């Protein structure tokens, strides 16, 4: 390693090779006894045993090298150190091999130095003989070699390591811990005589830094990792923790002795500890360059406090230790309390390596806080993703822990759960909300009832809502509040959750919030919206269709969720005196108050005056979409300023019941520095306009509804450059941004030829195009697109029309009335996978042909998207026309995901839908089976349905004879040896005849032979009455009644409350088959359903008897054709609900394990008993 290829040295970063080097250097080898005097008589030595004896040593191989050639050994170590240091990259980098290599070479040098010192000590002690094996050791050589090694460590290694951990350059706490541990290790062999200022200052600063920032473990483990992958560096500090403790313990006395004898060096060392521990500087200087006057540090003058150093700025009674003397009449408890709570500004305890600041000991922040979701942004941005951070406890009360992050100007407060039952606390529900809904509505407020009355029992069952006495007749929305009962939570007396319901007028939307305690403040969290498109936030969870106020839309969330007391984490900061103290507002509490695109883009801090500032989240280098959120008007950073205008009145309830309006401004700044605001004068200040709260019929509302065709309102930003001072002030619309679809529009005033002027919204992404506002243009394009309505119309100065359709919305079909004839398009606009495949251009622009009869599709993706939309809306003739223009051998990810949507339309059984699918199969057959456009449906099944429904296929969608012949050849029936059904055979014969008819001579005819399939025999369930239970009850299906003995009644929680579990149960019954003799889905289950013993429900209004009646009709014909007492009783009960629900109808009684078998052999089993009782 020292004299060979320098590249070979890099391999020493792995543990396996380090162990080999350590073994060859430090393992003692064979021991040579004192009576061994054999000499080498011949060369080579052939006898292996004799060779090993000749190579043995009295003290080990390393001591043998020290005695014989210390200079050679040390020169090799120094070469390795020099080459390793030459690879330094200026810091410890986990992915670089230089860092682990340098640290290992340093440890190796220190270990070798220890052997040198031990050998030298044993050979220079006066009056003691030299150990055997070191009789001929030349002390001057050993001293010179040892000094050379130490010189390399002192002059090259230590300065380099201290450079690595300069707080200006190194923000990684784990890397700093690693380097500090090695700095301690470098002074392992120091004696008191060798101590100087640098040695004690390094030892003190490093051990205090480790005690604060390193989480020592009580487990014994290997600190080195064996990995050849430089991206997985050795964990921890790479030195055994016990060895670090041993060094600190062994040097403590010498450090205290040196500090006592050298007070000036001690003062400088203590100031160095303060700088390093508080991250305000390095061991030698402050990072800000200030020269502070050095304080005098002395140990507290009390025998029990030796080693606890405090500066001369502390109280005199603290420094001389007199504060520890008991006062007259003071009890031990009082003395202990006074002594342990004595205020200390700064203290360094050398005995236990502890630093105390403002009477609080430095420690690592609790791991649970580091992992807390509300701490992650601070951890990522302020702490550079550190795994640990040092803090000092500020105060500890019954319900709150308060920590201050060292050197960061951030405070963290952990609040215990608030266990008060808010439902019983006066003021928790705003006292202004005294009007009970819907009893006291004014005539003009009936719109609230029209939206909410029918929906309220479904979304908030059992909740009584209250509203303020203000008149909402002309208001764009109404705000209501009420309590929903919580599920039982054991001993926690938290019985109810406060709900806030916001009802919007036109269009009707219902939004539900939970009021949640957070740091003893009460904030709202969005839980449900009835219309995802018109809500300011996209509620998490899978959206689902729902109807409110007659409007069908995609809803999101669960309205009846409740909250339980839980801990909360409050983060505050004081960056400078001008900004004051700011409190972090987690984004979940801003959801529904601001558009989601702003909530996701900014981090919000609330000032002491309650105004909120949103700081732009720094863009990740690898995040290609990071710039998409702000839009075309923003080039550098921006900042949101939210000024609150509180309503009149004072809220003394303590439950945050004060109402306020907000003015939201976006200010352009030239950088991301949060401590200052360097405004960009070249860009205007923009004020956000609230589309959701705009009055119905207003221009802002109309534009918002138009833009909601392109994206949800949570992704629509409408800005004004007007100077706005009040939330209700009228202002102009100047800029519109739709960040998710990468669109923006700028308002311009245009002078027309006739001298008039008009305001237009010009697209920033499509030159010369602006939004067409005429109803005629919209109506004309609507005729071309049919039921497709998520588009806007653009036009240019020549009045040419263009259709802009957003492509980042995943389309889905919803059958409105349960049939397959009435459909509505539902758009999933937040499907991340779909959006990511779109690329930068996320809209399709279709020019309208000059003939005004069709749209021009400029790309394959735009053609395929339009075809899929036509298919979803049932415009099959348009689909048929476009099929041939939607074929390609290779598909991009954008085109592939559009084509794959056809798979979800395979259940469309319209005759024209079969024709369209077959047309696509015919035009793509030449691409091969491995093509990206391989159709996901069965040509055989589609052709069969097409032939059956041929009379109903429209003329525009009928296949040509050539296409039918090709598709009939592709129609392969499933299974081996199966032949085509008669309808396809007949169709093949007919089409072949039509194809050949042109070759017939004039006057000749062609006959086609057709076949007819024999119709299947269908057994009629209602063919006749079965009165066996009345006439002959002993005529049973199975005499042994094994199925009755094996029956286990379903648990109520599994089937009685609907939902997924109940649906899975009924699906399982249908899949496994319902038979009278089935133990699980047989006579006992059907009987229990009919008489109501098993309360199965999918919907709250379900009748259990109906489910039993359905299962009875699913039994196989072999069961209902045979007359039996079991089948007879099921038939009678299913057709006579009043009999089944009679209070005296016998119930099916399940026997115990022993009784089951006894009853089967005695004819008294559960089935026999219930049949006997029914007959009686």
């Amino acid at each position: 390693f020292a004299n060979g290829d320098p590249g070979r040295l890099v391999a020493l970063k792995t543990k396996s090779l380090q162990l080999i080097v350590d073994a060859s250097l430090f393992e003692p080898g064979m021991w040579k006894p004192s009576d061994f005097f054999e000499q080498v008589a011949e060369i080579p030595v052939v006898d292996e045993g004799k060779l090993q004896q000749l190579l043995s040593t009295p003290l080990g191989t390393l001591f043998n090298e020290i005695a014989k050639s210390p200079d050679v050994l040390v020169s090799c170590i120094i070469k390795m150190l020099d080459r390793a240091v030459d690879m330094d990259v200026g810091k410890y980098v986990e992915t670089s091999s230089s860092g682990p290599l340098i640290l290992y070479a340093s440890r190796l040098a220190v270990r070798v130095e220890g052997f040198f010192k031990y050998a030298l000590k044993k050979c220079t002690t006066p009056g003691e003989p030299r150990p055997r094996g070191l009789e001929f050791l030349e002390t001057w050589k050993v001293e010179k070699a040892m000094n050379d090694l130490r010189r390399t460590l002192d002059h090259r290694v230590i300065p380099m390591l201290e450079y690595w951990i300069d707080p200006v350059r190194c923000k990684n706490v784990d890397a700093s811990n690693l380097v500090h541990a090695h700095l301690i290790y470098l002074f392992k062999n120091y004696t008191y005589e060798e101590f100087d200022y640098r040695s004690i200052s390094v030892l003190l600063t490093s051990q205090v830094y480790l005690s604060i920032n390193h989480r020592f473990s009580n487990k014994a483990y290997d600190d080195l990792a064996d990995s050849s992958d430089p991206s997985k560096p050795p964990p921890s500090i790479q030195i055994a923790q016990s060895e670090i403790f041993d060094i600190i313990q062994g040097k403590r006395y010498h450090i205290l002795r040196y500090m006592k004898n050298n007070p000036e060096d001690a003062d400088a060392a203590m100031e160095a500890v303060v700088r390093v521990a508080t991250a305000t500087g390095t061991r030698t200087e402050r990072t800000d360059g200030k020269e502070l006057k050095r304080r005098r540090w002395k140990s507290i003058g009390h025998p029990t406090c030796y080693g606890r150093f405090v500066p001369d700025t502390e109280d005199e009674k603290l420094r001389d230790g007199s504060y520890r003397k008991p006062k007259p009449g003071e009890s031990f408890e009082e003395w202990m309390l006074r002594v342990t709570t004595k205020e200390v500004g700064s203290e360094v305890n050398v005995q236990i390596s502890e630093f105390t600041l403002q009477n609080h000991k430095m420690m690592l922040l609790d791991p649970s806080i580091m992992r807390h979701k509300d701490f992650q942004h601070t951890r990522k941005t302020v702490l550079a993703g550190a795994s640990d951070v040092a803090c000092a406890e500020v105060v500890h009360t019954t319900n709150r822990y308060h920590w201050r992050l060292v050197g960061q100007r951030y405070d963290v407060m952990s609040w215990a759960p608030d266990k008060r039952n808010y439902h019983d606390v006066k003021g928790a529900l705003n006292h202004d909300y005294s009007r009970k809904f819907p009893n006291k509505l004014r005539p003009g407020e009936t719109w609230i009832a029209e939206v909410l009355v029918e929906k309220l029992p479904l979304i908030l069952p059992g909740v009584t809502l209250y509203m303020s006495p203000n008149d909402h007749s002309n208001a764009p929305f109404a705000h209501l509040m009420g309590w929903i009962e919580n599920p039982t939570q054991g001993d926690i007396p938290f019985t109810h959750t406060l709900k806030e319901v916001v009802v919007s007028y036109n269009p009707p939307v219902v939004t539900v919030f939970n009021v949640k305690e957070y740091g003893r403040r009460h904030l709202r969290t969005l839980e449900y919206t009835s219309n995802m498109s018109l809500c300011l936030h996209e509620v998490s969870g899978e959206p689902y269709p729902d109807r409110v106020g007659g409007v069908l839309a995609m809803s999101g969330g669960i309205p009846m969720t409740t909250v339980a007391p839980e801990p909360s984490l409050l983060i505050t900061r004081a960056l400078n005196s001008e900004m004051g103290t700011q409190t972090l507002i987690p984004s979940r509490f801003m959801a529904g108050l601001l558009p989601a695109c702003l909530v996701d883009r900014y981090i919000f801090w609330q000032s002491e005056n309650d105004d909120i500032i949103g700081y732009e989240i720094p863009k990740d280098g690898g995040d290609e979409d990071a710039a998409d959120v702000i839009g075309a008007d923003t080039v550098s950073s921006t900042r949101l300023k939210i000024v609150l205008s509180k309503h009149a009145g004072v809220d003394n309830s303590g439950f945050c019941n004060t109402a306020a309006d907000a003015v939201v401004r976006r200010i352009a700044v030239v950088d991301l520095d949060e401590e200052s605001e360097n405004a960009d004068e070249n860009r205007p200040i923009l004020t956000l306009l609230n589309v959701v709260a705009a009055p119905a019929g207003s221009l802002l509302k109309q534009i918002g509804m138009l833009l909601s065709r392109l994206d949800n309102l949570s992704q629509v930003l409408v800005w004004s450059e007007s100077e706005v001072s009040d939330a209700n002030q009228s202002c102009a619309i100047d800029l519109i941004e739709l960040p998710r679809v990468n669109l923006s529009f700028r308002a311009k005033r245009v002078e027309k030829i006739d001298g008039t002027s008009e305001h237009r919204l010009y697209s920033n992404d499509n030159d010369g195009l602006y939004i067409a506002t005429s109803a005629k243009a919209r109506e004309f394009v609507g005729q071309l697109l049919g039921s497709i309505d998520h588009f806007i119309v653009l036009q240019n100065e020549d009045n040419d029309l263009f259709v802009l359709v957003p492509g980042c919305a995943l389309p889905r079909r919803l059958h409105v009335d349960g049939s397959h004839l009435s459909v509505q398009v539902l758009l999933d606009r937040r499907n991340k996978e779909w959006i990511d495949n779109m690329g930068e251009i996320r809209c399709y622009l279709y020019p309208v042909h000059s003939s005004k009869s069709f749209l021009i599709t400029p790309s394959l993706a735009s053609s395929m998207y339009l075809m899929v939309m036509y298919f979803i809306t049932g415009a099959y003739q348009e689909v048929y026309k476009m099929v041939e223009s939607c074929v390609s051998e290779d598909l991009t990810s954008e085109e592939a995901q559009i084509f794959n949507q056809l798979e979800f339309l395979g259940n469309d059984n319209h005759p024209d839908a079969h024709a369209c699918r077959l047309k696509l199969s015919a035009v793509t057959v030449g691409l091969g089976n491995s093509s990206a456009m391989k159709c996901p449906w069965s040509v055989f099944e589609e052709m069969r349905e097409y032939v059956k429904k041929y009379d109903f296929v429209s003329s525009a969608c009928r296949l040509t004879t050539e296409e039918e012949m090709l598709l009939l050849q592709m129609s392969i029936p499933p299974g081996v040896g199966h032949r085509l059904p008669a309808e396809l055979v007949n169709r093949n014969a007919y089409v072949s005849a039509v194809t050949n008819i042109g070759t017939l001579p004039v006057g000749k005819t062609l006959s086609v032979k057709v076949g007819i399939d024999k119709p299947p025999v269908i057994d009629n369930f209602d063919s006749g009455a079965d009165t066996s239970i009345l006439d002959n009850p002993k005529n049973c299906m199975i005499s042994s009644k094994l199925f009755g003995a094996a029956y286990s009644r379903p648990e109520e929680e599994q089937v009685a409350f609907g939902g997924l579990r109940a649906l899975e149960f009924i699906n399982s019954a249908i899949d496994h088959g319902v038979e009278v003799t089935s133990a699980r889905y047989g006579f006992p289950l059907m009987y229990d359903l009919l008489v109501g013993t098993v309360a199965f429900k999918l919907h709250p209004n379900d009748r259990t008897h109906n489910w039993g009646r359905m299962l009875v009709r699913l039994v196989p014909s072999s069961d209902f054709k045979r007359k039996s007492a079991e089948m007879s009783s099921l038939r009678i009960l299913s057709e006579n609900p009043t009999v089944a629900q009679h209070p005296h109808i016998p119930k099916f009684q399940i026997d115990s394990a022993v009784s089951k078998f006894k009853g089967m052999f005695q004819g008294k089993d559960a089935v026999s008993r219930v049949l006997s009782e029914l007959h009686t």
Side-chain angles (χ1 to χ4, degrees), residues 259-270:
M259 294 175 69
K260 183 178 180 181
N261 296 333
N262 302 273
E264 292 187 0
D265 287 353
D267 295 340
M270 290 296 102

Side-chain angles (χ1 to χ4, degrees), residues 461-472:
V463 176
T464 301
L465 295 178
Y466 298 86
M467 54 192 301
S468 67
N470 301 331
D471 189 0
H472 296 83

Side-chain angles (χ1 to χ4, degrees), residues 737-751:
E737 296 172 346
L738 295 94
R740 186 158 59 190
V741 294
N742 282 348
L743 288 177
S744 62
F745 298 89
R746 171 70 69 175
K748 294 181 182 179
R749 183 180 179 184
V750 179
E751 298 290 340

Side-chain angles (χ1 to χ4, degrees), residues 1123-1164:
K1123 296 184 182 297
S1124 65
E1126 293 93 335
M1127 197 64 223
S1128 175
S1129 59
L1130 293 177
R1131 281 176 177 272
I1132 293 174
L1133 292 175
S1134 65
E1135 299 302 325
N1136 298 274
T1138 55
V1139 176
Q1141 303 303 318
H1142 195 277
H1144 297 306
I1145 196 75
K1147 305 295 184 182
F1148 189 87
Q1149 302 293 333
I1150 299 178
D1151 296 327
S1152 63
V1154 177
S1155 301
K1156 286 181 180 180
F1157 292 101
K1158 288 183 178 180
M1160 284 193 300
F1161 293 107
Q1162 298 175 1
K1164 298 180 180 179

Side-chain angles (χ1 to χ4, degrees), residues 28-305:
M30 291 189 63
W31 179 69
K32 178 185 291 185
S34 58
D35 57 353
F36 182 80
F37 296 105
E38 186 170 347
Q39 301 294 324
V40 178
E42 58 180 348
I43 296 177
V45 181
V46 180
D47 187 355
E48 183 67 25
K50 185 177 181 180
L51 178 62
Q52 292 298 326
Q53 289 179 345
L54 289 171
L55 294 176
S56 61
T57 61
L59 294 176
T61 54
L62 182 56
F63 278 119
N64 191 63
E65 290 294 326
I66 293 173
K68 302 295 176 61
S69 54
D71 49 348
V72 176
L73 174 62
V74 168
S75 65
C76 292
I77 300 295
I78 292 176
K79 283 183 181 179
M80 293 171 63
L81 265 177
D82 288 338
R83 290 181 177 180
V85 171
D86 289 341
M87 300 179 189
D88 177 32
V89 295
K91 59 182 178 179
Y92 181 82
V93 182
E94 295 180 351
T95 56
S96 173
S97 59
S98 61
L101 174 59
I102 291 171
L103 296 183
Y104 171 71
S106 302
R107 295 196 303 270
L108 183 66
V110 172
R111 292 183 67 183
V112 171
E113 181 191 41
F115 277 82
F116 270 77
K117 282 197 170 186
Y118 184 81
L120 194 62
K121 178 181 177 182
K122 287 296 182 180
C123 293
T124 57
T125 303
E128 291 188 10
R130 290 191 176 191
R132 188 168 60 88
L134 300 179
E135 299 92 341
F136 305 105
L137 182 140
E138 298 181 75
T139 56
W140 69 271
K141 278 189 176 183
V142 174
E143 288 178 353
K144 181 180 182 303
M146 190 171 60
N147 291 335
D148 292 342
L149 186 59
R150 173 47 58 178
R151 188 180 304 108
T152 304
L153 292 173
D154 289 345
H155 294 168
R156 299 207 64 187
V157 177
I158 294 177
M160 178 191 61
L161 296 185
E162 290 195 304
Y163 183 83
W164 284 4
I165 56 175
D166 188 329
V168 175
R169 286 179 291 273
C170 181
K171 304 297 183 182
N172 190 327
V173 177
D174 290 337
S176 295
N177 287 334
L178 177 64
V179 176
H180 276 291
H182 280 76
L183 284 172
I184 292 176
Y185 194 78
L186 288 175
F187 294 97
K188 174 183 178 181
N189 302 318
Y190 259 46
T191 61
Y192 173 75
E193 290 74 17
E194 296 172 300
F195 271 156
D196 55 11
Y197 165 69
R198 184 174 73 167
S199 59
I200 68 162
S201 61
V202 168
L203 285 169
L204 287 172
T205 55
S206 294
Q207 68 187 44
V208 169
Y209 187 91
L210 283 177
S211 69
I212 295 172
N213 295 283
H214 183 62
R215 203 175 300 278
F216 286 98
S217 172
N218 58 357
K219 298 178 180 179
Y221 62 93
D222 193 346
D223 283 318
L224 294 175
D226 186 14
S227 172
S228 59
D229 186 357
S231 65
K232 299 177 181 178
S236 189
I237 54 177
Q238 301 184 15
I239 303 173
Q241 296 177 155
S242 57
E243 191 162 7
I244 294 295
F245 293 145
D246 181 67
I247 297 172
I248 294 174
Q249 177 67 23
K251 306 303 178 190
R252 181 177 294 118
Y253 170 75
H254 299 304
I255 292 175
L256 291 172
R257 180 183 171 189
Y258 181 88
M259 294 175 69
K260 183 178 180 181
N261 296 333
N262 302 273
E264 292 187 0
D265 287 353
D267 295 340
M270 290 296 102
E271 296 293 351
V273 169
V274 175
R275 288 193 298 269
V276 173
T278 58
T280 56
T282 65
R283 184 181 61 84
T284 56
E285 61 182 359
R286 291 177 57 90
T287 54
D288 56 11
K290 294 180 180 179
E291 290 289 342
L292 300 181
K293 183 180 178 181
R294 184 184 298 175
R295 296 171 291 183
R296 295 296 306 274
W297 292 71
K298 290 184 63 178
S299 178
I300 296 177
H302 193 275
T304 61
C305 299

